[in-house]
Amino acid sequence: MLHNKIYLNYFFEIFKTFFSIIICLTLIALTVRAVNFLDLIVDNGYSLSIYFKYIFLNLFGIAPKFIPLSYLLAIIIFIFKHDANREFVILWTSGVKKVVLVNLLLFTSFIVVLIYLIFSTFLTPQALNKSRDMLGQSQFNSFLPTIRPNQFSDSFKGFTFFVEKKYNNEIKNIFLYDTGSYFKNLSSNTKNVDSTTIIADKGIVKDKELTLLDGKIISSKDSFENNEVIKFDQLSIDLNKLKTTVITKPKLQETSTTNLLSCFSKKGGNSDICNEETKKEIIPMLIRRTLLPAYIPIIALICSFLLIKPKNYILIRTMIFISCFILLISIELMLKYTGSNIFLRSFYIFMPVFILSIVYPSLIFRFSK
């Protein structure tokens, strides 16, 4: 009974450390990425609520990437801590076999694999797809944040603008160039209008409405001789129809696992993503979601060699950590080429089984000695 309580404490301790590490790493990465996401407000004019929702949903895409590394650090910290406190010595002298602790580490690795699979195959694609869909359905909140003095901006599709000065919501020396037919109706004859240029001395911005003062509208048509110039004292423009340049079509990492697998079925799946060129990218994506976590139990077994204390223990301890770290880097690097190289793909798929079949019996043999 005492041993069961000890193992239960060990189990919760490992996962407490694991979740603490993954939360810290995820928040650090999310903070860095949140700075890049500020473009949604500055360049595209989205509201703060959309910005924070988008950040939260992207958290599900960042966290799984740190699961293998977090588990490695959790196991290393667990073994180092209890070895330094001589707790393992008490277990060995009380008759507990080291292979029992190895099995405990292996059991925890299988739970981590399950956590990874839940995120990678279900939660992450669904959350990222929802974040992309949210940007597609939501319109920009205000035109004012997208204005940066003395800089040409193309934050909107088919629409470029330049403002020399900006003070609060007042702007001066405005240049608007429309090729997306947003202002086509400002011309007296809308036929054959290729682009519309608006120049004004002053302007006032209020949310999605722009009021211009003292300017002119130049409607460029097929024939240069037919260009139309209209002067105005005051002009109010509704900017609701502007579309941001944010990509709203879901990327592969935002596509559900079921849709990706359907590309290899008899029906062929979605023709937009299931072409021969894209399949080379889909294969690494599916391997990352379903087969990469198979390497996590290998990390647990390699770290189990730390339970053996040879004379050069410090050197062995360093080598084991470096070996695990190199393993994580190697599987990430190889993953990129599994879509185009069938030999590397087969190697990537069967290598976990091969390593497990060698490392686990080796541990049992070493502990028996």
Side-chain angles (χ1 to χ4, degrees), residues 226-269:
N226 294 328
N227 286 354
E228 182 182 31
V229 179
I230 302 176
K231 294 183 179 181
F232 61 85
D233 295 326
Q234 181 174 329
L235 175 67
S236 295
I237 301 176
D238 185 9
L239 303 175
N240 273 295
K241 293 182 179 180
L242 292 181
K243 297 179 181 180
T244 64
T245 54
V246 175
I247 299 174
T248 56
K249 184 179 179 180
K251 300 179 181 179
L252 285 180
Q253 60 265 32
E254 299 160 359
T255 306
S256 68
T257 306
T258 305
N259 289 341
L260 294 181
L261 288 172
S262 66
C263 291
F264 302 94
S265 64
K266 294 181 180 180
K267 295 181 179 180

Side-chain angles (χ1 to χ4, degrees), residues 120 176 195 243 304:
S120 64
L176 307 178
S195 62
K243 297 179 181 180
S304 297

Side-chain angles (χ1 to χ4, degrees), residues 51-267:
Y51 171 73
F52 285 114
K53 288 178 182 178
Y54 188 77
I55 290 177
F56 174 76
L57 291 173
N58 271 266
L59 184 147
F60 291 91
I62 297 173
K65 297 179 180 179
F66 292 109
I67 287 179
L69 178 60
S70 300
Y71 181 70
L72 169 62
L73 295 176
I75 294 297
I76 294 290
I77 292 172
F78 168 76
I79 294 177
F80 284 3
K81 174 185 175 182
H82 291 282
D83 184 65
N85 294 335
R86 305 291 182 182
E87 293 183 25
F88 288 154
V89 176
I90 299 174
L91 284 179
W92 312 151
T93 53
S94 63
V96 177
K97 294 182 179 180
K98 293 182 179 180
V99 71
V100 177
L101 190 56
V102 174
N103 291 335
L104 175 65
L105 297 180
L106 202 57
F107 178 69
T108 60
S109 70
F110 291 144
I111 295 179
V112 173
V113 168
L114 182 61
I115 294 173
Y116 187 101
L117 288 174
I118 291 173
F119 269 90
S120 64
T121 57
F122 299 107
L123 295 181
T124 298
Q126 186 176 358
L128 293 180
N129 186 274
K130 187 175 182 179
S131 68
R132 185 68 59 183
D133 186 59
M134 179 182 64
L135 292 182
Q137 293 182 359
S138 303
Q139 295 183 344
F140 71 100
N141 188 55
S142 176
F143 183 70
L144 189 62
T146 65
I147 300 175
R148 285 171 289 182
N150 292 314
Q151 290 188 29
F152 279 95
S153 176
D154 55 356
S155 301
F156 303 93
K157 294 179 181 179
F159 180 65
T160 304
F161 61 92
F162 176 87
V163 172
E164 185 176 355
K165 295 181 180 180
K166 171 185 173 183
Y167 181 75
N168 294 330
N169 66 331
E170 297 180 5
I171 52 179
K172 291 184 178 181
N173 297 332
I174 305 110
F175 171 83
L176 307 178
Y177 181 67
D178 166 40
T179 58
S181 300
Y182 298 115
F183 308 142
K184 187 177 180 180
N185 59 342
L186 296 179
S187 174
S188 60
N189 185 5
T190 59
K191 293 182 178 180
N192 302 323
V193 175
D194 290 335
S195 62
T196 303
T197 303
I198 302 177
I199 302 172
D201 293 335
K202 298 179 182 180
I204 299 174
V205 182
K206 185 178 181 182
D207 296 332
K208 299 180 182 180
E209 185 178 348
L210 177 61
T211 303
L212 300 177
L213 305 173
D214 301 327
K216 56 184 177 179
I217 304 169
I218 305 172
S219 299
S220 301
K221 300 188 178 182
D222 293 341
S223 177
F224 182 77
E225 291 79 6
N226 294 328
N227 286 354
E228 182 182 31
V229 179
I230 302 176
K231 294 183 179 181
F232 61 85
D233 295 326
Q234 181 174 329
L235 175 67
S236 295
I237 301 176
D238 185 9
L239 303 175
N240 273 295
K241 293 182 179 180
L242 292 181
K243 297 179 181 180
T244 64
T245 54
V246 175
I247 299 174
T248 56
K249 184 179 179 180
K251 300 179 181 179
L252 285 180
Q253 60 265 32
E254 299 160 359
T255 306
S256 68
T257 306
T258 305
N259 289 341
L260 294 181
L261 288 172
S262 66
C263 291
F264 302 94
S265 64
K266 294 181 180 180
K267 295 181 179 180

